[in-house]
């Protein structure tokens, strides 16, 4: 049974991660080679720093594409910190590497998932997380959230322990839809997490409350 909807930040930026962690709503972080390439400094040091800030699961991705290379890199990433999760792509070699690394007790996030069939294989290979990319499917006019719905159904049918980590979230509705479907986690860029707070009626309402309060104080004075 899912007890809580987790929110991960999809970024390698230490300042942004610290700011979201300070809000008290951050459960984890996902990175990928494109995100880490944007940040200064050594990527392994950065991953360690992220783990220290988040104190929760932090995904670091292998760049090797063959089984042996993925194992070597994955084992190295796993050793960086107790919170590290090894991210592997959903390829034949990635699934094989997921099975081996999971068997060694390493948490594995299988990424670049674009179909329920792929997600089924990741679960069978013992993945801790499956990352279906919703925004990139939407980009090619295929409903990304429908894929998530199907994955959630399949995993529930067989009580797979693999957590559904909705990735490539581009706007608050991806987050809301994921929560309605009972996905375990959404990872979103800092700007999308920021958008979750915003509602014009909240701002207008607050402004009016404060104006009324000040008016009453002025009358009493
Ligand atoms: O971390 C993987 C994923 O969330 C990437 O998102 O927006 O580049 O499709 P995006």
């Amino acid at each position: 049974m899912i007890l809580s909807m987790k929110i991960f930040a999809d970024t390698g930026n230490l300042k942004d991660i610290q700011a979201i962690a300070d809000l008290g709503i951050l459960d984890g972080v996902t990175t990928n080679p494109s995100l880490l390439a944007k940040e200064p400094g050594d990527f392994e040091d950065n991953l360690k720093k992220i783990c220290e800030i988040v104190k929760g699961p932090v995904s670091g991705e292998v760049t090797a594409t063959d089984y042996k290379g993925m194992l070597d890199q994955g084992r190295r990433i796993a050793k960086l910190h107790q919170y590290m999760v090894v991210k592997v792509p959903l390829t034949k070699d990635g699934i094989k590497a997921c099975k081996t690394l999971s068997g060694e007790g390493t948490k594995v996030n299988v990424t670049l998932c674009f179909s329920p069939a792929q997600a089924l294989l990741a679960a069978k290979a013992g993945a801790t997380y499956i990352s279906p990319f919703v925004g990139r499917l939407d980009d090619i006019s295929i409903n990304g959230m429908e894929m998530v719905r199907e994955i959630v159904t399949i995993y529930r049918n067989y009580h797979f322990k693999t957590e559904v980590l909705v990735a490539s979230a581009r706007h608050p509705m991806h987050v809301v839809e994921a929560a309605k479907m009972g996905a375990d986690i959404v990872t979103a860029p800092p700007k999308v997490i920021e958008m979750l707070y915003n509602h014009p009626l909240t701002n207008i309402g607050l402004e009016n409350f404060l104006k009324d309060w000040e008016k009453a104080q002025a009358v009493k004075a």
Side-chain angles (χ1 to χ4, degrees):
M1 187 180 152
I2 300 167
L3 297 173
S4 160
M5 165 84 174
K6 287 174 262 186
I7 295 180
F8 287 9
D10 195 27
T11 178
N13 186 276
L14 293 172
K15 245 175 96 179
D16 285 346
I17 292 167
Q18 185 67 63
I20 301 165
D22 288 346
L23 296 169
I25 50 121
L26 186 62
D27 300 299
V29 163
T30 50
T31 68
N32 61 39
S34 308
L35 291 171
L36 286 180
K38 286 189 212 162
E39 304 302 326
D42 175 70
F43 88 96
E44 290 188 345
D45 287 344
N46 286 344
L47 285 172
K48 282 192 235 173
K49 284 180 192 157
I50 296 171
C51 288
E52 285 301 315
I53 297 171
V54 181
K55 296 186 174 48
V58 174
S59 293
E61 190 163 340
V62 299
T63 49
T65 52
D66 64 299
Y67 171 68
K68 170 86 176 49
M70 285 188 203
L71 285 192
D72 291 345
Q73 289 185 359
R75 286 173 181 146
R76 191 181 159 106
I77 290 170
K79 276 200 197 114
L80 289 176
H81 201 283
Q82 56 165 326
Y83 290 122
M84 281 310 304
V85 174
V86 175
K87 221 174 175 189
V88 299
L90 212 156
T91 58
K92 271 189 192 171
D93 286 59
I95 289 295
K96 200 173 160 191
C98 172
K99 180 79 187 178
T100 303
L101 291 167
S102 300
E104 294 171 359
T106 295
K107 289 189 172 169
V108 179
N109 176 355
V110 180
T111 189
L112 289 166
C113 170
F114 293 95
S115 81
Q118 290 181 314
L120 177 60
L121 297 178
K124 287 187 68 66
T128 306
Y129 306 103
I130 182 68
S131 290
F133 276 33
V134 295
R136 292 192 194 182
L137 267 191
D138 290 352
D139 288 345
I140 57 160
S141 302
I142 296 174
N143 189 333
M145 290 314 298
E146 252 331 290
M147 163 183 58
V148 173
R149 189 189 303 282
E150 290 180 278
I151 295 170
V152 168
T153 302
I154 292 167
Y155 281 14
R156 281 202 188 132
N157 284 348
Y158 298 103
H159 303 287
F160 281 122
K161 288 199 182 92
T162 306
E163 293 188 49
V164 180
L165 195 172
V166 176
S168 184
R170 303 274 174 78
H171 48 70
M173 282 315 289
H174 279 146
V175 180
V176 173
E177 285 299 313
K180 280 160 68 177
M181 287 173 193
D184 304 88
I185 308 156
V186 170
T187 189
K191 69 166 193 271
V192 173
I193 294 177
E194 185 69 33
M195 282 183 214
L196 296 174
Y197 285 92
N198 294 333
H199 198 290
L201 290 180
T202 304
N203 301 338
I204 295 166
L206 181 60
E207 209 177 296
N208 288 337
F209 284 156
L210 296 181
K211 268 189 208 151
D212 291 343
W213 183 255
E214 275 163 29
K215 259 190 249 160
Q217 300 311 305
V219 170
K220 283 180 194 165

